[in-house]
Amino acid sequence: LVGYLVKWMNSWNLAKEFKPMMPIFIIPLTGVAVVSALFIFVLGKPVTLITDLLNSLLVELAKNPSSAVVLGIVLGIAAGFILYYSFETAYKRKNYVRNNSYNFEEYPNAIDPTVFYDADDRMWMVYGSWSGGIFLLELDPATGQVIHPEADEEHNVDAYYGKRLLGGGHKSIEGPYILYDEATDYYYLYVSYGTLTSSGGYQVRVFRSKTVDGDYVDMNGEYPTADVDHQLYGLKLTGNYKLPSLERAYMATGHNSAFIDEDGRQYLVYHTRFNNGTENHSPRVHQMLMNEDGWPCELPYQTQGETVSGTGYETDAVVGRYFVINQGTNISNDIANPVILYLNADGTVVGREAEGTWEAVDETYYMHITIDGEDYSGVFCQMKDEAGTDVMTFSAVGGNQSVWGVKYIAE
């Protein structure tokens, strides 16, 4: 009844200035008034009459011994309902209530939903924010209704909320988004860590799984649970950073979604704040390329239609001076500022801050780089910085960290 009423109110052709008020004031107030009046003045008396008739029927059945069988059936149904209700209430109190309040340490804050289809066209919803973690439920594609699973404590499956994929213990994990990549045959679970403020360390992490219901693991084959330091888990794609051509450092880059375009290119979508003392924010879309191991590498600058060379780049195009940042794995307001590193033609990496080696994979855009003993696998891609200047970039990942490099072609 309420759903049809809301649907009808949404069809009202109101003036433009009133439309933002519909979901906040008009629909809630009108809906409550109409439904309350309906129950008080229209349905109240019929329901009372039906209840009185049922009570009279039971009294008459009790007076007549020949009606004992019928009375037994009616009372049995009623008793069954009461036992079922009592069982459900006891189950909920045991699992979902702690200290007379909702058990948010173990069960989800039911927001940030993403609905998606798996490789077999089954419909799912991933959701959750902080609290008990990130959960997954299957949906009926015909109705959108939840298909509740059987409880399986060993595999983190709750009969009502579904399967816990990550988190718990009120850790800062939210904004889940699952994307299936047919080329790698992996499901990628993107989430955001930290607090949604410019100084809150907000950032994007990614996990992956060969099956839609997990386990979703990071580059170390692990995932965060309630009793661990979750900043050590998940490949960190982006956080706080400063690169050439950016007027200010980007802060709190997160609350993400991802998609694969019709041409096969993959993109990560999120919003960023800035190191300017305000909470103003702006959306960003960055292209991602998969490395040789099937992990996403986010390109350093927002997309401007760049196309990676499928056969790679000449050595002269990729050697030279790079502004390099390492995103690390911490959750803080620290900014990843660039250091200067040189990728030399002899395969060495040299700089005041670090040293190592690098190599390009022949006839591909894949590359590998070692910096101070840490190995990263990634990609080269020519693109434009945010001032429109041509740059050669690399993006590589390893040990749950992302490193980006930017070289100005004109130098």
Side-chain angles (χ1 to χ4, degrees), residues 124-233:
W124 300 83
M125 179 178 69
V126 61
Y127 70 101
S129 171
W130 288 63
S131 296
I134 304 303
F135 283 71
L136 181 73
L137 281 167
E138 187 173 2
L139 304 180
D140 183 341
T143 64
Q145 298 282 336
V146 171
I147 301 174
H148 288 288
E150 292 186 13
D152 185 349
E153 187 174 349
E154 180 182 355
H155 296 97
N156 289 320
V157 179
D158 179 76
Y160 182 73
Y161 289 115
K163 182 172 183 178
R164 180 190 290 108
L165 301 178
L166 304 174
H170 201 59
K171 301 292 177 63
S172 64
I173 306 176
E174 65 181 20
Y177 199 99
I178 291 179
L179 180 68
Y180 174 70
D181 184 350
E182 187 175 354
T184 64
D185 194 32
Y186 275 106
Y187 294 90
Y188 295 89
L189 169 58
Y190 297 89
V191 295
S192 291
Y193 283 12
T195 303
L196 186 51
T197 62
S198 60
S199 62
Y202 213 50
Q203 59 191 255
V204 178
R205 303 278 182 135
V206 64
F207 300 79
R208 71 181 186 182
S209 172
K210 279 293 185 180
T211 57
V212 68
D213 58 348
D215 292 338
Y216 285 87
V217 299
D218 61 17
M219 299 190 76
N220 297 323
E222 300 175 327
Y223 61 90
T225 56
D227 56 351
V228 301
D229 182 1
H230 66 300
Q231 70 179 343
L232 303 177
Y233 297 80

Side-chain angles (χ1 to χ4, degrees), residues 35-53:
V35 173
S36 299
L38 184 63
F39 274 92
I40 294 171
F41 299 110
V42 179
L43 297 178
K45 289 186 177 180
V47 169
T48 301
L49 288 173
I50 292 172
T51 304
D52 290 342
L53 286 173

Side-chain angles (χ1 to χ4, degrees), residues 58-351:
L58 291 175
V59 171
E60 291 301 319
L61 288 174
K63 292 179 180 178
N64 189 350
S66 62
S67 303
V69 175
V70 177
L71 179 61
I73 293 173
V74 173
L75 293 177
I77 294 172
F81 173 78
I82 292 169
L83 287 173
Y84 172 77
Y85 175 80
S86 299
F87 171 79
E88 286 290 289
T89 301
Y91 177 83
K92 291 173 183 176
R93 285 195 171 278
K94 175 185 175 183
N95 290 275
Y96 306 146
V97 177
R98 175 181 291 176
N99 298 326
N100 293 319
S101 62
Y102 180 62
N103 182 6
F104 60 81
E105 295 281 339
E106 298 181 42
Y107 294 96
N109 186 7
I111 63 172
D112 293 349
T114 295
V115 176
F116 67 98
Y117 289 91
D118 67 14
D120 299 317
D121 288 329
R122 293 166 66 186
M123 180 184 281
W124 300 83
M125 179 178 69
V126 61
Y127 70 101
S129 171
W130 288 63
S131 296
I134 304 303
F135 283 71
L136 181 73
L137 281 167
E138 187 173 2
L139 304 180
D140 183 341
T143 64
Q145 298 282 336
V146 171
I147 301 174
H148 288 288
E150 292 186 13
D152 185 349
E153 187 174 349
E154 180 182 355
H155 296 97
N156 289 320
V157 179
D158 179 76
Y160 182 73
Y161 289 115
K163 182 172 183 178
R164 180 190 290 108
L165 301 178
L166 304 174
H170 201 59
K171 301 292 177 63
S172 64
I173 306 176
E174 65 181 20
Y177 199 99
I178 291 179
L179 180 68
Y180 174 70
D181 184 350
E182 187 175 354
T184 64
D185 194 32
Y186 275 106
Y187 294 90
Y188 295 89
L189 169 58
Y190 297 89
V191 295
S192 291
Y193 283 12
T195 303
L196 186 51
T197 62
S198 60
S199 62
Y202 213 50
Q203 59 191 255
V204 178
R205 303 278 182 135
V206 64
F207 300 79
R208 71 181 186 182
S209 172
K210 279 293 185 180
T211 57
V212 68
D213 58 348
D215 292 338
Y216 285 87
V217 299
D218 61 17
M219 299 190 76
N220 297 323
E222 300 175 327
Y223 61 90
T225 56
D227 56 351
V228 301
D229 182 1
H230 66 300
Q231 70 179 343
L232 303 177
Y233 297 80
L235 166 56
K236 183 178 178 180
L237 293 178
T238 179
N240 305 326
Y241 64 88
K242 181 73 167 67
L243 282 173
S245 82
L246 304 184
E247 293 184 6
R248 298 180 177 87
Y250 282 6
M251 309 292 289
T253 54
H255 215 286
N256 48 271
S257 58
F259 69 96
I260 301 175
D261 208 348
E262 293 178 351
D263 59 9
R265 300 182 195 185
Q266 291 200 38
Y267 297 95
L268 186 66
V269 183
Y270 53 84
H271 50 64
T272 181
R273 284 164 167 75
F274 307 94
N275 188 26
N276 61 2
T278 76
E279 294 300 326
N280 296 333
H281 63 278
S282 177
R284 288 294 184 271
V285 181
H286 286 231
Q287 187 176 175
M288 295 185 293
L289 298 171
M290 293 294 172
N291 69 7
E292 277 192 302
D293 303 317
W295 284 104
C297 299
E298 179 187 346
L299 298 185
Y301 292 108
Q302 63 176 323
T303 185
Q304 298 185 51
E306 66 279 346
T307 300
V308 69
S309 172
T311 56
Y313 301 92
E314 298 294 331
T315 300
D316 289 346
V318 297
V319 297
R321 185 180 76 154
Y322 283 82
F323 297 86
V324 178
I325 63 172
N326 186 331
Q327 301 276 6
T329 60
N330 64 321
I331 304 173
S332 73
N333 63 354
D334 293 343
I335 298 171
N337 286 298
V339 299
I340 302 296
L341 295 179
Y342 289 85
L343 272 60
N344 297 321
D346 63 0
T348 60
V349 176
V350 178

